[in-house]
Amino acid sequence: MTHRGSRLLHVGSLSRVEGEGALRLHVHDGTVTDAQLNIYEPPRFFEAFLRGRSYTEPPDITARVCGICPVAYQMSACAAIEDACAVSVDPAIRALRRLLYCGEWIESQALHIYLLHAPDFLGRASAIELARTHRAEVERGLRLKKAGNSLMELLGGRAVHPVNVRLGGFHRVPTRDELRPVTEELRQALDDAWNTVRWVAGFEFPDARVEADLLALAEPDTYAIESGTPTVLRADGTTGSFPVRDFTEHVAETHMPHSTALHSRLDGRLHLTGSLARFAISGARLSPVALQAAVEAGLGDPREGSVCRNPFRSILVRAVETVYAVGEALRIIEAYEPPARPYTEVPPVAGVGHGATEAPRGVLYHRYEIDADGIVTSAVLVPPTAQNQGAIEDDLRRLAQRAIGEGDPDDGELTALCERAIRNHDPCISCSTHFLDLTVVRTSGDASRDTSGDTPGDCHA
Amino acid sequence: MAPTLAVFKLASCDGCQLTLLDCEDELLALAGEVEIAHFLEASSAVEPGPYDLSLVEGSVTTAEDAERVRAIRAASRHLVTIGACATAGGIQALRNFADVDEYRRVVYAHPEYVETLATSTPVSAHVDVDFELRGCPIDRRQLIEVITAFLSGRKPDIPDHSVCFECKRRGTVCVTVAHGTPCLGPVTHAGCGALCPAYHRGCFGCFGPSGSVNLPALIPLLRRDGLDDAAVERFLHTFNAAAFEKFEKESAK
């Protein structure tokens, strides 16, 4: 087989991801020499302007990092600041926070499964195009997504940047009667989530394997969402954990010239966080109904050690997690007794606090330093996609290499494969700004041919 | 031929374009009325312009985006900006009052890798805009109204009165009068449906200034309710960082 020599593949703007980015792939004599996920999303400097703000403000301000997972930002911010002020909230407030977070999980997972990811498996450009042949399925996805949004609107006021979260709890807590209408919607959502598992289980999955270490939060008795201990399942099968306060000692960010997002390493190695990591680490703690969904989806039983490392199959794990989140929301509502007070007072204490929660796309860590007057003096945000970026590039390099080894894909085929590989990881590029543009450079001998069509920021106008 | 709709993003959190995907009940019906020609978050099919209606989210923070927004304008019959970033520079406009090089050094190990303008500016500072839809994030019902209005060739029915009107209409007890809670409702553009007071908190101004802003009347109330000067300034300078500034200058005269 002859390989075209050296080529540069450039995807100027990735689609069906959150935020904007590109990919650059360099192929020299049939060998992928470089795969770079370029995050050209402009920097927004949250960590800089949080300094000087009141310690009560980060939950509202950091929500604005991401329109898809604002609750994750609000919950990590609250956890970190409450840690600094040595306040713990009462169990009824913790349950309500988990309920709000379930709403975000349902909304975000349904969005990714139906609107961003499923079209790849069915050869469509978008869910809207998919609806021409799979109307009932797309309607089901939208209905499921709406159930998540309804929960967020009820508890948070609105789905994007909810207004009801504050340090110590909520501004206002719902009555049992107010939660009742959403219960009906969630019962329908449970059916829709189950049918989502059955639908995606019928997709065709290319072979692939993520070699990176897997990082997720873990709790002793439940599937970790709004709290937990960072826990690692290494590629060699060993596990380890560390306290949240040591997060940045283990997850070190480095800054690469090709991207405005920072790259992280976990103890010097590539790591992946998100659905695959959570299922590997906490899968055994899923509810019986979600475990049954996992088995039905072909993921095996995590109580018997089943781990999924195929990123194409992450859509199955997301579907299982959606079944879990809907069931968990119903369980919390069933057990709900309104707390005596909507929030616990959090008086400012000079110090440093750490908080980490499971955004739908992975571990989100916050660290704040506040002074005795409650003014933030430093802030560190480590979003999931910045952590995943190295593992995604590694994944891309391997998939592109195999595709080139198995044939001589043209740039269009290679581009489509690489975009799929990226969407497998549900990257949140807006969050990563402190992410993506595809370029494949193929060089033949010493001649270089840039096949790039778009430049970053091209509006195709 | 169905009119073409394009959605573009500059510096932002994606929340406003997500609002279009959050129209779960209307999305497929809308997709039947328009041809979605460019919407990277939702579709990998990208059609060249010109577009009948372009929605632009996000603020201009790089020289490239300043160029890009001109290309978008040139390719669009109607250009509507959506959200606080696109209409007022967004929270990232806090840099306009700071030293952006210092910001760069604080956030990045290699500030030299990061290209950014010293300012975050609204789209209207660069090109003519046909309509600005406010909010951080925008409201779903208002977005549907704006798209429907442009498709049918009429003016969108988006009133510019304050959040107070929405509180009254909703029957929410005034949090300032009843509880002494600092609230920006009297100077903030309506559109959210007066959410925050309904959740027992004061409005924090995420829709930006309303049609009439009377800061000399409001600021003494904020002080009475416990905000010191620094807190008042922070309150006015958040999600629409720069938007209240001209009113502050006027009230200082």
Side-chain angles (χ1 to χ4, degrees):
Chain A
M1 189 187 345
T2 56
H3 287 293
R4 279 173 280 174
S6 210
R7 57 180 181 166
L8 173 74
L9 185 69
H10 172 82
V11 175
S13 35
L14 285 171
S15 58
R16 300 202 330 268
V17 292
E18 193 215 350
E20 294 193 343
L23 172 69
R24 195 176 176 88
L25 200 67
H26 199 158
V27 187
H28 186 75
D29 286 339
T31 300
V32 179
T33 53
D34 201 14
Q36 290 182 349
L37 198 56
N38 300 129
I39 296 176
Y40 60 80
E41 183 80 27
R44 289 184 288 146
F45 301 113
F46 277 82
E47 290 155 314
F49 61 65
L50 280 163
R51 297 168 308 160
R53 307 295 299 203
S54 166
Y55 76 123
T56 58
E57 294 182 81
D60 286 322
I61 290 179
T62 61
R64 269 69 184 180
V65 175
C66 176
I68 297 190
C69 51
V71 172
Y73 279 85
Q74 294 184 330
M75 294 296 114
S76 289
C78 287
I81 296 163
E82 289 160 14
D83 177 51
C85 300
V87 166
S88 52
V89 301
D90 75 56
I93 297 290
R94 287 220 305 274
L96 269 186
R97 285 181 167 174
R98 190 171 172 90
L99 181 61
L100 175 64
Y101 220 143
C102 283
E104 179 158 289
W105 269 38
I106 298 164
E107 185 279 326
S108 175
Q109 303 285 40
L111 170 78
H112 191 260
I113 292 169
Y114 283 91
L115 271 62
L116 311 184
H117 208 186
D120 275 337
F121 292 91
L122 299 161
R124 300 290 193 278
S126 67
I128 288 155
E129 199 180 296
L130 186 62
R132 292 188 198 126
T133 52
H134 294 71
R135 179 98 187 181
E137 287 85 352
V138 173
E139 284 179 349
R140 179 178 65 213
L142 290 168
R143 192 164 61 228
L144 186 55
K145 182 172 169 295
K146 189 181 173 189
N149 277 339
S150 295
L151 197 48
M152 288 173 76
E153 285 166 13
L154 178 67
L155 275 175
R158 62 187 171 200
V160 178
H161 310 328
V163 303
N164 192 24
V165 171
R166 55 162 290 160
L167 290 182
F170 294 86
H171 291 277
R172 177 184 174 282
V173 293
T175 62
R176 284 185 60 91
D177 280 351
E178 282 176 306
L179 288 177
R180 198 165 295 136
V182 83
T183 311
E184 291 309 309
E185 214 175 333
L186 288 169
R187 289 207 180 97
Q188 171 70 46
L190 196 54
D191 283 346
D192 288 335
W194 260 107
N195 287 323
T196 301
V197 171
R198 292 179 183 122
W199 185 53
V200 298
F203 291 173
E204 278 184 44
F205 300 101
D207 282 332
R209 185 182 159 85
V210 184
E211 300 295 342
D213 292 356
L214 302 175
L215 173 72
L217 302 180
E219 287 283 19
D221 303 316
T222 190
Y223 202 72
I225 300 179
E226 78 290 354
S227 60
T229 302
T231 303
V232 191
L233 175 62
R234 295 185 194 93
D236 64 9
T238 59
T239 60
S241 66
F242 52 86
V244 174
R245 66 175 178 273
D246 292 346
F247 195 88
T248 51
E249 286 172 31
H250 292 273
V251 178
E253 294 188 301
T254 55
H255 190 184
M256 313 292 257
H258 68 270
S259 174
T260 51
L262 299 171
H263 279 221
S264 309
R265 292 288 181 276
L266 172 64
D267 295 326
R269 290 187 299 274
L270 294 177
H271 74 287
L272 186 72
T273 180
S275 292
L276 293 181
R278 283 193 296 261
F279 185 72
I281 284 161
S282 289
R285 297 179 200 99
L286 284 167
S287 58
V289 66
L291 284 165
Q292 194 188 335
V295 172
E296 200 160 312
L299 289 163
D301 189 335
R303 288 171 300 187
E304 292 164 10
S306 288
V307 166
C308 175
R309 280 187 167 271
N310 182 341
F312 289 95
R313 291 163 69 91
S314 65
I315 193 169
L316 296 171
V317 181
R318 276 186 203 99
V320 168
E321 288 192 330
T322 310
V323 170
Y324 177 76
V326 176
E328 188 67 358
L330 283 164
R331 185 192 66 76
I332 294 168
I333 292 172
E334 185 61 35
Y336 177 65
E337 290 294 342
R341 293 173 304 168
Y343 57 90
T344 302
E345 289 288 352
V346 184
V349 176
V352 180
H354 311 263
T357 70
E358 284 285 348
R361 47 207 52 74
V363 179
L364 169 64
Y365 166 83
H366 287 208
R367 172 193 181 278
Y368 300 95
E369 194 167 347
I370 61 174
D371 68 19
D373 296 326
I375 299 296
V376 175
T377 56
S378 83
V380 174
L381 313 176
V382 183
T385 299
Q387 298 180 63
N388 289 344
Q389 197 179 350
I392 298 174
E393 288 183 342
D394 190 52
D395 203 27
L396 275 169
R397 198 175 300 121
R398 215 167 318 109
L399 282 167
Q401 186 64 63
R402 192 178 64 196
I404 289 165
E406 285 171 356
D408 189 14
D410 64 28
D411 286 355
E413 292 163 338
L414 206 49
T415 296
L417 175 73
C418 290
E419 285 212 67
R420 283 191 71 176
I422 290 163
R423 287 193 284 265
N424 284 340
H425 295 284
D426 189 12
C428 174
I429 299 176
S430 302
C431 303
S432 326
T433 60
H434 103 123
F435 184 59
L436 198 109
D437 188 5
L438 173 60
T439 305
V440 185
V441 186
R442 300 178 197 235
T443 41
S444 133
D446 53 10
S448 184
R449 178 167 73 91
D450 189 335
T451 57
S452 60
D454 304 323
T455 50
D458 186 345
C459 79
H460 307 277
Chain B
M1 263 252 319
T4 51
L5 175 70
V7 183
F8 297 97
K9 174 189 147 60
L10 308 168
S12 69
C13 78
D14 278 54
C16 292
Q17 53 176 323
L18 178 67
T19 300
L20 188 52
L21 299 180
D22 278 352
C23 298
E24 290 98 357
D25 292 334
E26 298 90 1
L27 186 62
L28 294 180
L30 176 69
E33 298 295 319
V34 298
E35 184 197 340
I36 296 179
H38 185 288
F39 186 6
L40 285 177
E41 188 180 33
S43 177
S44 35
V46 168
E47 303 295 331
Y51 309 108
D52 291 307
L53 174 61
S54 290
L55 304 176
V56 181
E57 170 193 277
S59 67
V60 177
T61 62
T62 63
E64 269 175 359
D65 276 352
E67 279 298 316
R68 206 173 146 216
V69 82
R70 283 193 280 274
I72 293 168
R73 173 72 267 185
S76 309
R77 280 185 54 220
H78 300 288
L79 191 159
V80 171
T81 57
I82 54 171
C85 297
T87 61
I91 189 154
Q92 55 270 8
L94 287 171
R95 81 185 67 183
N96 300 359
F97 312 97
D99 172 1
V100 79
D101 288 327
E102 196 264 344
Y103 271 22
R104 216 180 332 221
R105 288 194 300 273
V106 165
V107 179
Y108 295 99
H110 290 281
E112 72 276 13
Y113 296 162
V114 179
E115 285 186 14
T116 180
L117 297 171
T119 54
S120 168
T121 44
V123 172
S124 63
H126 301 265
V127 296
D128 286 341
V129 169
D130 296 295
F131 191 79
E132 296 186 306
L133 185 62
R134 311 286 198 87
C136 180
I138 54 168
D139 179 80
R140 191 167 53 209
R141 291 150 298 197
Q142 289 203 331
L143 177 62
I144 295 282
E145 162 60 20
V146 167
I147 294 173
T148 310
F150 274 93
L151 291 180
S152 56
R154 62 172 172 82
K155 192 171 169 279
D157 178 20
I158 305 289
D160 70 351
H161 56 230
S162 74
V163 170
C164 290
F165 286 75
E166 295 189 301
C167 258
K168 301 295 168 282
R169 190 175 295 150
R170 192 167 171 152
T172 303
V173 171
C174 177
V175 296
T176 297
V177 171
H179 308 293
T181 304
C183 181
L184 290 183
V187 296
T188 299
H189 198 286
C192 65
L195 275 181
C196 286
Y199 281 80
H200 300 179
R201 72 180 291 188
C203 165
F204 54 93
C206 59
F207 274 63
S210 59
S212 60
V213 169
N214 187 347
L215 288 182
L218 180 70
I219 288 172
L221 279 178
L222 299 176
R223 288 216 185 88
R224 181 201 71 183
D225 294 337
L227 301 192
D228 62 20
D229 286 350
V232 168
E233 186 174 323
R234 286 200 302 269
F235 210 24
L236 291 168
H237 287 228
T238 309
F239 306 108
N240 291 271
F244 284 104
E245 205 188 20
K246 70 171 183 177
F247 303 104
E248 288 172 83
K249 282 180 182 151
E250 281 168 17
S251 64
K253 278 175 197 165

